[in-house]
Amino acid sequence: MDVTEFQQWIKDYYETRGWSELDIFIRIGFLAEETGEVARAIRSLEIGRDRPDEREESYTKNKQELTEELGDVLGNLIIIANKYEIPLEEVFQAHKEKLSNRYDG
C-alpha cells in the first residue's frame, strides 16, 4: 500500500467510526498521548521497564509495541493532514525542502 492509499484508508476507517469528527484540539491531545506511548515503548527497548507492576518483555515484543505506537501517531497525523486537505506527499516534499534549504545551503 502506498502513502496515498494509506492516507485514504485512514480517512475512510476513521470516518466510518466517527473518529474524524472530533474537535481538532481533542485530536491534538490524542497525538500527544500517543507520542508519550512511543516514548514509553522506546524506553522499554533501550533500558527496559523498572516498575514492579510491569513485567519484562522480549526485544521482539517491545519492538512490535513500538511499531504499533508509531502507527497510532501516524494515524493521528494523517487525520490532522486530512482535516486541512494536505496530502502526505506534500508533507514529505515540504519537509525535505525545508531541511535541504536549512542545512544544504
Side-chain angles (χ1 to χ4, degrees), residues 4 6 10 20 24 33 41 48 50-51 63 72 75 89 102:
T4 302
F6 187 66
I10 288 287
S20 52
I24 191 64
E33 179 182 341
D50 60 359
R51 288 178 29 188
K63 187 175 176 183
D72 291 342
E89 288 96 350
R102 183 177 292 166

Side-chain angles (χ1 to χ4, degrees), residues 4-105:
T4 302
E5 291 170 333
F6 187 66
Q7 187 170 7
Q8 184 62 48
W9 183 85
I10 288 287
K11 180 180 186 300
D12 296 342
Y13 193 85
Y14 278 53
E15 282 177 359
T16 299
R17 286 153 183 76
W19 297 345
S20 52
E21 301 305 316
L22 296 173
D23 182 272
I24 191 64
F25 293 105
I26 292 172
R27 179 63 51 204
I28 292 295
F30 288 158
L31 176 60
E33 179 182 341
E34 296 300 344
T35 301
E37 291 176 11
V38 166
R40 186 183 57 162
I42 290 172
R43 180 174 166 261
S44 293
L45 274 167
E46 294 297 324
I47 62 174
R49 304 298 294 167
D50 60 359
R51 288 178 29 188
D53 61 336
E54 296 176 328
R55 62 176 217 208
E56 193 73 24
E57 297 290 351
S58 69
Y59 179 85
T60 302
K61 179 135 173 85
N62 286 335
K63 187 175 176 183
Q64 179 60 37
E65 182 179 344
L66 174 58
T67 301
E68 291 171 6
E69 297 303 341
L70 287 169
D72 291 342
V73 168
L74 183 57
N76 280 284
L77 289 172
I78 290 172
I79 290 301
I80 293 167
N82 286 346
K83 176 175 177 47
Y84 298 103
E85 299 178 359
I86 303 169
L88 287 182
E89 288 96 350
E90 189 176 319
V91 173
F92 297 165
Q93 188 60 39
H95 189 63
K96 181 180 174 183
E97 289 174 12
K98 176 177 131 180
L99 293 178
S100 294
N101 290 335
R102 183 177 292 166
Y103 298 106
D104 297 337

